[in-house]
């Protein structure tokens, strides 16, 4: 039986602790031949949070001890040829599940649960917030997903990004000054893939010169991509509109219908939370509205998320994806 094996090399952070623990317990149960595991295990978190990396490690660990694993993307489910009795079925990015494949997945979940077979599903959001092209997925699917174990992988915070940078630098045998890693941890908020890319760039930069990299040089190299990733009102509005299937221009108009008003208020709230912009600046972007209108929108959304769990989850996910 594996002890810490491959999963032990997955960097344990506060943001991924629950998901990593759940995957380890599933690994141990399947290795022992036990049927004492949740079905399905549902892991959700924003892009770049490490879900795919964790699934790959889990699959590799089980394959190494002779267990069968089938791993596929949700958008391929309708046309895939499945070994329906595989020890572990991993379905990734459920938000891309085609509508026509929904009955197939429901039947598959029921069949595997009845047979005592393990299934892991990943997605950007929790079951209650699952949508495909703006359409909420049916309750007969989301209820089955929620009936298992649902765990979240949260976006990495600054301290975790710093630990991740240090670990990757060590793996790359790259000697980097603490002030460089501290600065990158503060600036790189796009998730694990962005951080991995940054370390590769550091290695290339270091290979061009004999002396250690200096902070000024690193700042200059990363300035363009960090400025490009900076959060703007336009990016916030477009992200919210994409979720609610509303044209961004409507948020700047005088329209006050609910399908426009709610996304506008959420955009104002997120702008206030995630940017240094003033109430006046935010209002100016949204069609020249005054600061009192923005203040009212922020208070209304803040009050609503205390009682509306669905809205709270939606805004928390949007905030994570934008951060």
């Amino acid at each position: 039986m594996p002890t810490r094996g491959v999963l032990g090399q997955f960097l344990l952070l506060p943001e991924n602790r629950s998901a990593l623990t759940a995957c380890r317990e599933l690994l141990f149960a399947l290795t022992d031949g036990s049927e004492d595991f949740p079905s399905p295990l549902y892991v959700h978190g924003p892009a770049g949070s490490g879900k795919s990396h964790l699934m790959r490690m889990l699959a590799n660990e089980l394959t190494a001890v002779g267990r069968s694993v089938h791993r596929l993307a949700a958008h391929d489910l309708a046309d895939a040829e499945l070994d329906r009795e595989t020890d572990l079925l991993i379905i990734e990015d459920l938000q891309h599940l085609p509508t026509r494949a929904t009955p197939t997945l429901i039947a598959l979940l029921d069949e595997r649960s009845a047979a005592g077979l393990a299934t892991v599903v990943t997605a950007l959001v929790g079951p209650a917030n699952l949508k495909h092209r703006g359409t909420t997925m049916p309750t007969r699917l989301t209820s089955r997903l929620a009936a298992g174990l649902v765990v979240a992988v949260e976006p990495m915070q600054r301290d975790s990004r710093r630990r991740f940078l240090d670990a990757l630098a060590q793996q790359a045998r790259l000697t980097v000054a603490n002030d460089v890693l501290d600065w990158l941890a503060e600036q790189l908020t796009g998730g694990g893939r962005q951080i991995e890319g940054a370390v590769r760039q550091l290695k290339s930069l270091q290979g061009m010169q004999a002396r250690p990299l200096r902070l000024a040089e690193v700042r200059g190299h990363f300035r363009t991509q960090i400025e490009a990733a900076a959060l703007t009102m336009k990016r916030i509005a477009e992200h919210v509109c994409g979720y609610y299937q509303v044209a961004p221009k409507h948020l700047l108009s005088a329209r006050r219908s609910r399908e426009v008003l709610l996304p506008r208020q959420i955009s104002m709230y997120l702008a206030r939370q995630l940017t240094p912009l003033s109430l006046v600046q935010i209002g100016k972007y949204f069609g020249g509205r005054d600061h009192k209108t923005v203040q009212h929108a922020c208070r209304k959304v803040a009050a609503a998320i205390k009682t509306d769990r669905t809205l709270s989850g939606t805004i928390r996910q949007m905030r994570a994806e934008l951060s």
Side-chain angles (χ1 to χ4, degrees):
M1 172 179 176
T3 52
R4 288 301 175 196
V6 175
L7 288 186
Q9 296 173 16
F10 192 90
L11 184 62
L12 176 62
L13 300 169
E15 296 86 354
N16 65 32
R17 183 182 300 274
S18 295
L20 182 54
T21 299
C23 286
R24 279 178 175 164
E25 291 178 353
L26 177 60
L27 168 64
F28 298 153
L30 291 177
T31 304
D32 282 345
S34 167
E35 294 185 5
D36 185 19
F37 49 77
S39 184
L41 170 60
Y42 186 101
V43 181
H44 67 94
S49 58
K51 301 185 303 299
S52 295
H53 189 43
L54 182 56
M55 293 303 107
R56 182 167 60 253
M57 286 185 162
L58 177 60
N60 289 343
E61 185 79 4
L62 282 169
T63 301
V65 295
R67 297 295 184 268
S68 58
V69 180
H70 193 129
R71 184 176 170 217
L72 77 160
H75 64 72
D76 294 330
L77 182 61
D79 303 314
E81 293 185 7
L82 292 175
D83 175 2
R84 303 179 80 89
E85 296 183 358
T86 188
D87 294 320
L88 175 63
L89 174 64
I90 300 175
I91 303 173
E92 299 187 68
D93 293 320
L94 197 64
Q95 68 276 1
H96 297 314
L97 180 74
T99 302
R100 65 189 178 92
T102 299
T104 300
L105 179 55
I106 291 172
L108 193 59
L109 291 173
D110 288 347
E111 181 181 313
R112 292 185 61 80
S113 178
L117 297 171
T119 307
V120 180
V121 179
T122 73
L124 292 178
V125 297
N129 296 316
L130 272 174
K131 290 188 176 184
H132 177 62
R133 296 180 179 176
T135 301
T136 301
M137 292 192 179
T139 303
R140 66 183 188 278
L141 171 59
T142 58
S143 62
R144 285 168 168 80
L145 297 170
L149 176 62
V150 178
V151 292
V153 183
E154 302 291 346
M156 280 188 286
Q157 300 304 304
R158 190 263 175 206
D159 288 348
S160 292
R161 293 195 296 270
R162 179 63 173 80
R163 286 183 57 196
F164 192 41
L165 278 162
D166 192 53
L168 291 177
Q170 289 183 37
Q171 289 177 15
R173 297 183 180 179
L174 182 63
T175 302
V176 186
N178 285 332
D179 61 346
V180 171
L181 294 180
D182 289 342
W183 182 79
L184 287 171
E186 196 70 41
Q187 300 296 322
L188 302 176
T189 59
R193 295 190 188 99
Q194 184 189 34
I195 294 173
E196 289 171 344
V199 172
R200 287 193 293 269
Q201 291 178 58
L202 287 177
K203 191 167 185 178
S204 297
L205 286 173
Q206 184 62 81
M208 297 177 185
Q209 59 188 47
R211 58 177 174 77
L213 291 171
R214 297 172 181 172
L215 179 57
E217 296 168 333
V218 175
R219 282 178 184 268
H221 177 79
F222 284 96
R223 180 180 295 115
T224 301
Q225 69 185 76
I226 288 174
E227 288 177 352
L231 199 57
T232 63
M233 275 303 320
K234 181 180 180 182
R235 183 176 158 211
I236 292 172
E238 288 178 346
H239 190 81
V240 175
C241 285
Y243 182 87
Y244 284 101
Q245 299 294 295
V246 176
K249 66 180 181 180
H250 293 332
L251 268 60
L252 315 185
S253 71
R255 296 189 181 190
R256 291 187 54 82
S257 58
R258 178 171 174 77
E259 58 267 23
V260 173
L261 184 60
L262 180 60
R264 182 189 295 137
Q265 291 177 333
I266 290 174
S267 297
M268 291 178 174
Y269 173 82
L270 289 172
R272 190 62 173 157
Q273 293 287 313
L274 300 175
T275 75
L277 297 175
S278 67
L279 296 172
V280 173
Q281 290 171 313
I282 295 171
K284 184 177 179 180
Y285 179 85
F286 287 102
R289 289 172 167 81
D290 61 32
H291 74 282
K292 291 184 178 179
T293 300
V294 179
Q295 190 175 57
H296 171 73
C298 293
R299 288 175 176 172
K300 188 166 184 178
V301 173
I305 60 179
K306 292 179 180 179
T307 57
D308 188 333
R309 293 181 62 184
T310 299
L311 180 63
S312 176
T314 297
I315 292 177
R316 185 169 59 250
Q317 188 63 41
M318 287 183 183
R319 180 170 180 162
E321 292 168 353
L322 287 164
S323 296

